[in-house]
Amino acid sequence: MGMLLGSIALILVGGGMLEMCFFSKDPEFGIASRIAMFVFGLLFLIPGIILLKLAISELKQSSAKKGKLKDNVILIGQDIKNGLTGFFLNNYGAEADKNLVERLISAFRSNLSLFFKYNTGSENEPIQENVTQIYRNILDFRRNRLKRMGVAFNLDSIRKNYGGRAVYSKTYFDGKYQITDVKEDIAARSVFSKNGKCIYNRVDKDIACYTLINAKSSGTNKIICPNCGSMTTRENLLDGCDFCRTKFMVEDLGLRVSDFALRKDYDVEYEKYKDFRHKMIVLSSIIWGLICLIFCSYWAFRVSGDVASETGSGPIMTFMATLFSALFPAAAFTFIGVFFFIVCIFPFIQFGASANYTSKKILDKIKAASRDDKNTENIVKKFDDLFSINGFYSNVQNKIAAIHYADTKEQINAFSYKDISGLLNNYTNVIDMDMDYITLRNYWVDQGLQIADVEAGLNLISYNGKKCSRKSEKLNLTLTKSAACKTQVVCAPSVMRCKCCGSPISLLDGRICHQCGTDIGLEQYDWVIREYNVG
């Protein structure tokens, strides 16, 4: 852009000099002066034309790169399928590469949109290349609800940059899986429609939280068994671990999304707050500056026009004289106007901006919640030093979503030891759940169990066949997990198969084996709900 502006300036100056050679009426402007002006005009004009061509070529290349990047994003799901999974398997669970992580979550969001858009329920869907089986079951809860109600759902999302990097991640080993906690600045729009007509839409400009897992390598051809933690070969894990006898599918050892949720984040909201201030000041400066420039240009043109008629200046020199004559007074008036806006008008705009999370009051509330989360996380880490508050919240949020989208007694109790099937009628028409806030109130260990008290605020959207209605809901939950379980993610191969008869288990049918009636004992691997109170 700088090259483009510079080339235009050189062309204007060179063109103005050449113009003076032919249009000037000044009697003192003789032949020698006209020849010199002609030579210097060419010295400015020719480099200007060359730079202009280079600038246009550079802009075309930049545009082509953006187009190529867009094509890569469209094809990224196939890239993940053919390339990334192979990379992680070939490296036996090597630590997640930053670029591959960013591409995986982009592919996941794209495939998540396709998962709901086509609503087919086929066996070989692109989403299965990106998610764990348990998380896939949770997504099926929601899709089945929408399918039963005849409601189409479309999710459009794009990565944003609210300040600094757009994607933040940290990777650690929890004894079984290599875990990558990811936070991504995001803008997403959810659109619900019935018979082609939009019935509800929601826009999120928050942060997306992901938990990614993959098997961890330990030397050449050695992998940590994700079930028991023993070191063995990849072939043994596929045939059956020598220690725990768990068999794995090939995809169980690759990189997968196990949790995903959209939540508000203080750092993101603060960057949006600063961005709002910056945009308002820039926008006011541009608008007021253009107004001042128009009025000053009109005045300067009148003056320059009179001078041009006397000296015989051409249109280029007249334009340049008008521009430079208008710039200084326009800049002065713009400075005065912007100063007045910042001091006298902007505070009132800022005061009324709470609807867009740009008010100081809401920022302070989010900051206080973030501070409380950090303090609670430190308390939990005294017992479980690998505990992640973001991963925990995503886990709980997905379980709450599964409850609201459940259609049977078995489904609504899949993550709860307390029978909450009486809530089925309350949630039967829910098509969307927006998490307003979630916080870990208390945590302690007692009688071999980790116990967590969680409070959450939800906004539920229900559809009765004619219109959508919105209702707020406050939840108080008590969750428990075995004190011996300090892994941060659920091990699907061992959980999704009955430990007594070996039959496959789907959370879509509850957590009870349909062959022998054995409970899978989810509390040994994951957080389960002991108390679920509304209000």
Side-chain angles (χ1 to χ4, degrees):
M1 184 58 69
M3 184 185 296
L4 180 63
L5 295 176
S7 64
I8 293 174
L10 288 174
I11 291 173
L12 286 175
V13 172
M17 289 182 175
L18 292 176
E19 187 182 62
M20 289 181 65
C21 299
F22 303 100
F23 290 95
S24 178
K25 298 179 181 179
D26 189 348
E28 297 183 359
F29 197 66
I31 297 296
S33 299
R34 292 178 188 273
I35 294 174
M37 191 65 68
F38 180 81
V39 172
F40 280 105
L42 290 177
L43 290 177
F44 280 97
L45 184 63
I46 294 173
I49 293 174
I50 295 173
L51 286 177
L52 180 62
K53 289 183 177 180
L54 292 175
I56 292 174
S57 176
E58 187 176 305
L59 288 174
K60 288 182 178 180
Q61 291 178 4
S62 177
S63 178
K65 287 180 180 179
K66 289 181 180 179
K68 184 178 180 181
L69 179 61
K70 186 175 182 181
D71 292 338
N72 287 339
V73 172
I74 293 175
L75 297 173
I76 204 166
Q78 189 66 28
D79 183 40
I80 292 290
K81 180 177 180 180
N82 296 333
L84 299 188
T85 301
F87 171 86
F88 281 100
L89 291 182
N90 292 336
N91 287 276
Y92 305 107
E95 287 192 12
D97 178 85
K98 179 183 67 175
N99 293 329
L100 294 181
V101 165
E102 293 186 6
R103 297 172 71 185
L104 172 67
I105 61 179
S106 294
F108 162 74
R109 287 193 282 104
S110 175
N111 289 334
L112 182 65
S113 179
L114 295 176
F115 178 80
F116 286 106
K117 182 177 181 180
Y118 295 112
N119 205 15
T120 58
S122 61
E123 292 184 1
N124 299 312
E125 296 175 301
I127 192 69
Q128 70 185 32
E129 300 292 334
N130 309 131
V131 301
T132 62
Q133 182 59 46
I134 289 183
Y135 184 47
R136 164 66 186 271
N137 282 166
I138 293 174
L139 294 176
D140 275 324
F141 280 10
R142 185 178 189 184
R143 186 170 69 172
N144 290 345
R145 164 67 56 79
L146 296 173
K147 188 175 182 179
R148 175 178 64 80
M149 300 182 69
V151 174
F153 172 60
N154 186 50
L155 174 67
D156 290 324
S157 59
I158 187 173
R159 181 174 298 153
K160 303 288 286 185
N161 190 337
Y162 299 117
R165 289 183 57 197
V167 179
Y168 310 81
S169 64
K170 65 175 181 178
T171 301
Y172 58 92
F173 179 59
D174 74 344
K176 294 184 178 181
Y177 274 107
Q178 190 78 23
I179 299 177
T180 303
D181 282 335
V182 181
K183 290 166 61 175
E184 178 188 30
D185 295 348
I186 195 173
R189 182 178 181 180
S190 304
V191 179
F192 297 82
S193 58
K194 177 88 170 184
N195 298 325
K197 181 181 178 181
C198 178
I199 58 176
Y200 173 72
N201 71 85
R202 173 166 60 91
V203 176
D204 294 289
K205 293 183 179 180
D206 300 294
I207 191 168
C209 297
Y210 308 80
T211 301
L212 311 182
I213 66 170
N214 64 290
K216 179 178 173 60
S217 65
S218 182
T220 305
N221 199 31
K222 294 288 186 178
I223 306 179
I224 303 297
C225 174
N227 183 48
C228 66
S230 62
M231 187 186 305
T232 184
T233 64
R234 173 174 174 267
E235 290 72 20
N236 276 351
L237 291 182
L238 298 177
D239 296 336
C241 176
D242 292 338
F243 293 88
C244 67
R245 303 302 178 185
T246 302
K247 293 183 179 181
F248 295 84
M249 302 293 287
V250 173
E251 57 266 24
D252 293 328
L253 308 179
L255 193 66
R256 287 290 187 273
V257 177
S258 67
D259 289 304
F260 166 72
L262 293 172
R263 287 198 302 278
K264 293 178 177 61
D265 179 83
Y266 170 73
D267 292 330
V268 169
E269 296 302 330
Y270 183 62
E271 291 299 334
K272 288 159 66 176
Y273 168 77
K274 292 194 298 184
D275 186 56
F276 170 79
R277 288 175 56 96
H278 176 72
K279 285 182 178 178
M280 286 299 298
I281 294 173
V282 170
L283 184 62
S284 65
S285 301
I286 292 174
I287 293 174
W288 182 244
L290 286 175
I291 293 173
C292 294
L293 185 61
I294 290 172
F295 280 101
C296 291
S297 296
Y298 175 74
W299 166 80
F301 181 75
R302 298 271 315 256
V303 175
S304 300
D306 294 338
V307 174
S309 63
E310 296 178 2
T311 61
S313 299
I316 296 178
M317 293 302 294
T318 302
F319 169 77
M320 293 178 63
T322 301
L323 180 63
F324 286 111
S325 299
L327 282 178
F328 179 76
F333 285 119
T334 300
F335 177 80
I336 296 172
V338 172
F339 180 79
F340 177 79
F341 173 80
I342 294 173
V343 174
C344 302
I345 299 177
F346 185 75
F348 292 98
I349 296 176
Q350 189 177 14
F351 180 76
S354 59
N356 293 318
Y357 297 100
T358 49
S359 74
K360 189 68 167 61
K361 181 179 179 181
I362 292 182
L363 264 180
D364 290 341
K365 181 180 179 181
I366 297 174
K367 184 177 182 179
S370 178
R371 182 177 60 248
D372 292 342
D373 285 344
K374 191 63 179 178
N375 293 336
T376 306
E377 184 178 48
N378 291 334
I379 293 173
V380 180
K381 282 186 173 182
K382 292 179 180 179
F383 178 77
D384 182 357
D385 59 354
L386 296 176
F387 177 79
S388 164
I389 194 74
N390 284 321
F392 176 77
Y393 282 161
S394 296
N395 185 318
V396 174
Q397 185 169 335
N398 287 325
K399 287 179 170 57
I400 293 174
I403 289 172
H404 286 77
Y405 298 129
D407 285 327
T408 67
K409 177 180 178 180
E410 290 75 21
Q411 290 176 4
I412 200 170
N413 289 322
F415 299 106
S416 175
Y417 277 150
K418 178 182 179 180
D419 184 5
I420 56 175
S421 56
L423 295 171
L424 275 171
N425 290 334
N426 295 352
Y427 301 145
T428 187
N429 292 327
V430 171
I431 62 170
D432 190 36
M433 186 198 83
D434 174 23
M435 183 70 69
D436 189 32
Y437 71 90
I438 182 170
T439 181
L440 178 57
R441 292 295 188 190
N442 200 4
Y443 170 90
W444 70 98
V445 180
D446 185 35
Q447 297 182 4
L449 291 176
Q450 300 178 67
I451 305 170
D453 284 338
V454 174
E455 180 181 314
L458 316 176
N459 295 309
L460 305 179
I461 305 299
S462 298
Y463 180 62
N464 62 7
K466 295 181 179 180
K467 63 178 182 178
C468 291
S469 59
R470 184 185 185 93
K471 182 181 74 173
S472 296
E473 182 177 75
K474 181 180 178 181
L475 298 178
N476 289 291
L477 311 176
T478 298
L479 299 102
T480 58
K481 185 172 75 166
S482 170
C485 178
K486 295 186 179 182
T487 58
Q488 306 306 305
V489 295
V490 186
C491 185
S494 58
V495 174
M496 306 309 289
R497 187 170 293 278
C498 179
K499 58 187 176 184
C500 290
C501 68
S503 299
I505 297 174
S506 171
L507 290 178
L508 293 172
D509 302 319
R511 64 173 191 276
I512 308 299
C513 176
H514 65 281
Q515 293 290 341
C516 65
T518 302
D519 192 304
I520 64 175
L522 189 61
E523 198 173 47
Q524 301 175 45
Y525 312 98
D526 192 18
W527 291 98
V528 297
I529 299 171
R530 288 282 183 174
E531 295 292 334
Y532 186 99
N533 299 307
V534 181

